[in-house]
Amino acid sequence: MARVTIKSIAKDLGISHMTVSRALSNNPNVLKETRDAVQNRARELGYVKNAAAMAMRGDGAKIVGLVLPNIVNEFYARFANAMALACDAQSLQLVIHLTNDNMETEEQALERLREIQASCVVMVPAPGQANSKADHQGSMRIIELIRRRDSPTPNPAILVEDSPAIGAAVAHLAQAGHSRIAYIGADKSLSSGRGRLAAFLGGIQEAGLEAPGTLIRTGTPSFEMGRKNASDILASGSATALVCGGFEISNGALSAFMDHTGSDGSKPAFVGYGDPSFYKWVNGGVTTIRVPVVHLVECALTLISAPTPLEPILAQSFPAELVLR
């Protein structure tokens, strides 16, 4: 079946394609009877507006991209949902791409967004360095979220200042009598991984504890990575508490903790990262580091709507909060 276009509707109704275009845009200069006839015929034929063509003409809603590793992670899902609602309220068209933290997939997503004339993209950078083609996005504004990619000309970024909360988590555990505190987080290929590990080690030093050595586990963040490392730590019996440094890592580690019971019936203390809704109900509540989703979305919309080019070094940080339960 041939694709329905403005020109095919015009030919079908015996009018000019410019009249059809204006009628579909509810232009008041088109007679109501003509507008109704065009719009009814477009619905009958299943006409779909070409968003890219509209963007190139300056018509319709401005297109905004959101590039995330996944939406299985509750933080990413909550951010995407809040972002979609905020964009809709401002007549922005949100297009979401998922990368699974793969650089090649990220580059393909950015290329597709460039093809449909997206004006701005909010993205969680995949690990690694972008090639020169991905670095050059033309007029498409790139805003990095949570992570920041090392670059001679860094993009504006919306970050979480979680170092104080991670330090507070270590202090809380130390005050409760824990001296062997483990940590599971992302590796140093991610800016967030480097920052959270440094915050944990700073908290250990501040509490006057010895560096935990083999109790520090880092790698590519995932549910499976968190679960495996937590299972290994629990099986060794070498830690009395664990601090997590990532959303999916935290859920994986928590699943291992729920399956584990020590020889004396006890469970090590646990501090998660992120605050999925079910954390309130597990074992009377999971102590965790909460990320301010609403503030991040509000900042994203402010940067998207900014009328002038943003300074490349611009970065705004929002504090995370240690939630004791």
Side-chain angles (χ1 to χ4, degrees):
M1 182 177 178
R3 180 173 176 269
V4 180
T5 66
I6 286 175
K7 289 185 177 180
S8 65
I9 295 172
K11 183 177 180 180
D12 191 45
L13 295 176
I15 57 179
S16 74
H17 72 273
M18 290 301 296
T19 299
V20 172
S21 178
R22 293 189 184 103
L24 291 172
S25 299
N26 286 311
N27 190 310
N29 294 326
V30 180
L31 290 174
K32 182 179 184 303
E33 293 79 6
T34 303
R35 284 205 312 271
D36 290 346
V38 169
Q39 291 174 6
N40 288 337
R41 189 59 178 150
R43 279 192 293 271
E44 290 170 2
L45 296 174
Y47 170 73
V48 178
K49 292 181 180 179
N50 186 324
M54 292 175 67
M56 292 175 71
R57 295 194 304 268
D59 301 334
K62 184 164 68 172
I63 298 172
V64 173
L66 178 60
V67 178
L68 300 171
N70 60 68
I71 51 174
V72 175
N73 177 318
E74 183 165 323
F75 165 76
Y76 294 143
R78 287 177 59 198
F79 185 92
N81 185 70
M83 185 81 173
L85 294 174
C87 284
D88 186 61
Q90 294 196 20
S91 298
L92 301 171
Q93 181 179 340
L94 185 67
V95 177
I96 300 175
H97 286 275
L98 306 179
T99 68
N100 197 32
D101 264 341
N102 180 277
M103 178 65 73
E104 183 178 349
T105 306
E106 176 190 293
E107 291 171 1
Q108 291 170 355
L110 293 175
E111 179 64 26
R112 292 190 185 107
L113 288 166
R114 195 164 46 238
E115 288 171 355
I116 63 171
Q117 302 291 309
S119 62
C120 183
V121 178
V122 177
M123 61 177 282
V124 178
Q129 294 299 316
N131 63 34
S132 57
K133 180 181 178 182
D135 264 342
H136 182 64
Q137 299 305 327
S139 62
M140 188 169 72
R141 179 181 294 172
I142 302 289
I143 300 169
E144 294 176 350
L145 175 68
I146 300 295
R147 307 170 183 166
R148 198 162 200 197
R149 179 169 287 148
D150 293 332
S151 170
T153 56
N155 292 308
I158 305 169
L159 307 173
V160 174
E161 180 49 68
D162 47 21
S163 294
I166 292 172
V170 175
H172 166 72
L173 293 170
Q175 289 166 10
H178 296 282
S179 60
R180 291 175 293 142
I181 304 172
Y183 175 82
I184 305 175
D187 60 35
K188 294 181 179 180
S189 67
L190 300 177
S191 63
S192 54
R194 296 191 297 272
R196 292 169 194 168
L197 176 58
F200 173 77
L201 292 173
I204 290 290
Q205 185 177 18
E206 184 70 22
L209 302 177
E210 291 185 13
T214 58
L215 295 183
I216 293 177
R217 307 292 181 90
T218 61
T220 302
S222 68
F223 180 97
E224 293 74 17
M225 178 268 192
R227 180 175 173 83
K228 180 183 185 306
N229 282 289
S231 296
D232 291 346
I233 290 168
L234 289 167
S236 72
S238 54
T240 61
L242 169 66
V243 175
C244 294
F247 302 101
E248 294 162 274
I249 289 170
S250 181
N251 287 344
L254 181 60
S255 73
F257 265 59
M258 292 176 67
D259 290 343
H260 174 83
T261 301
S263 57
D264 59 355
S266 65
K267 288 181 180 289
F270 181 90
V271 178
Y273 191 98
D275 195 16
S277 54
F278 68 88
Y279 275 20
K280 296 178 182 179
W281 316 114
V282 175
N283 295 332
V286 174
T287 291
T288 193
I289 296 164
R290 178 188 291 158
V291 175
V293 177
V294 173
H295 293 314
L296 299 179
V297 171
E298 289 173 348
C299 182
L301 266 292
T302 298
L303 295 180
I304 288 167
S305 304
T308 56
L310 302 174
E311 291 293 333
I313 60 171
L314 176 66
Q316 298 191 42
S317 297
F318 297 87
E321 172 191 8
L322 177 64
V323 180
L324 299 175
R325 295 189 175 113

